[in-house]
Amino acid sequence: MHQNFQWPNKSVAKQTSISGPIPRKAAISSDIRDFEQKRIVFTFKYYNHAQCEIHGLEKQDAKKLIMEFRKVNDVSVSNFQSNRAGIKCKKVFKSGNYVPLFNNLPVDVDALFEINYTDTGRIFGYLAENIFNITTIKRKHIKTSKYT
């Protein structure tokens, strides 16, 4: 045996039993925050430059994009997800022409929000708590079998 090895104290190894319900302080951590009522904030950590079309935006569309960011930033997570905020968006999944949008994203991201900022312009991203991870900005909607 290793020369510094010590057997554990037998009194430490005894099992204690607890009866009754778990105390509220132990069951509900004070570290948990109610993120659903927080406003949405943005990050570009997983931005997909290969899919980006922001460089081709005209001035008017760039203004509309900024206004849409402001609108999203002014709502809570719960209002955004329930579509009560008046933001035109839908969920899209990793299939068809949407597959490239999921490149280099965390493996647990199985859907993105597609937000309209003009008739054809789109912002793509996903929510993690109250953080909207912007993944791509497109000038034109992605063609799917519905639109081709």
Side-chain angles (χ1 to χ4, degrees), residues 44-53 98-105 124 134-138:
F44 288 86
K45 182 177 180 180
Y46 293 103
Y47 195 74
N48 185 338
H49 294 281
Q51 294 293 313
C52 174
E53 295 178 351
Y98 290 111
V99 171
L101 299 179
F102 289 82
N103 289 346
N104 302 318
L105 296 183
F124 293 91
I134 299 166
T135 58
T136 307
I137 297 172
K138 294 281 209 179

Side-chain angles (χ1 to χ4, degrees), residues 81-103:
Q81 289 180 322
S82 65
N83 248 352
R84 291 188 302 236
I87 297 168
K88 294 179 184 176
C89 72
K90 66 177 183 176
K91 277 193 174 182
V92 296
F93 300 92
K94 190 176 182 177
S95 66
N97 291 337
Y98 290 111
V99 171
L101 299 179
F102 289 82
N103 289 346

Side-chain angles (χ1 to χ4, degrees), residues 44 47 51-54 57 61 64-65 68-69 88-92 98 101 112-125 132 134-144 146-147:
F44 288 86
Y47 195 74
Q51 294 293 313
C52 174
E53 295 178 351
I54 197 169
L57 287 181
D61 288 343
K64 290 177 183 178
L65 175 64
E68 199 65 28
F69 279 140
K88 294 179 184 176
C89 72
K90 66 177 183 176
K91 277 193 174 182
V92 296
Y98 290 111
L101 299 179
L112 295 173
F113 285 100
E114 179 180 1
I115 302 171
N116 302 11
Y117 68 91
T118 64
D119 288 341
T120 60
R122 303 292 187 263
I123 304 165
F124 293 91
F132 191 84
I134 299 166
T135 58
T136 307
I137 297 172
K138 294 281 209 179
R139 291 181 349 186
K140 296 186 178 182
H141 66 80
I142 293 176
K143 293 184 189 261
T144 62
K146 182 177 174 182
Y147 295 109

Side-chain angles (χ1 to χ4, degrees), residues 10-52:
K10 288 184 180 181
S11 64
V12 172
K14 286 183 184 177
Q15 182 178 3
T16 59
S17 64
I18 300 174
S19 62
I22 299 172
R24 185 167 176 78
K25 281 187 175 180
I28 301 174
S29 170
S30 60
D31 293 336
I32 297 174
R33 296 190 176 110
D34 184 9
F35 68 86
E36 289 186 343
Q37 298 311 313
K38 287 186 171 184
R39 287 182 10 187
I40 294 175
V41 295
F42 302 104
T43 183
F44 288 86
K45 182 177 180 180
Y46 293 103
Y47 195 74
N48 185 338
H49 294 281
Q51 294 293 313
C52 174

Side-chain angles (χ1 to χ4, degrees), residues 72-87:
V72 172
N73 184 237
D74 283 341
V75 301
S76 68
V77 172
S78 60
N79 283 342
F80 178 78
Q81 289 180 322
S82 65
N83 248 352
R84 291 188 302 236
I87 297 168

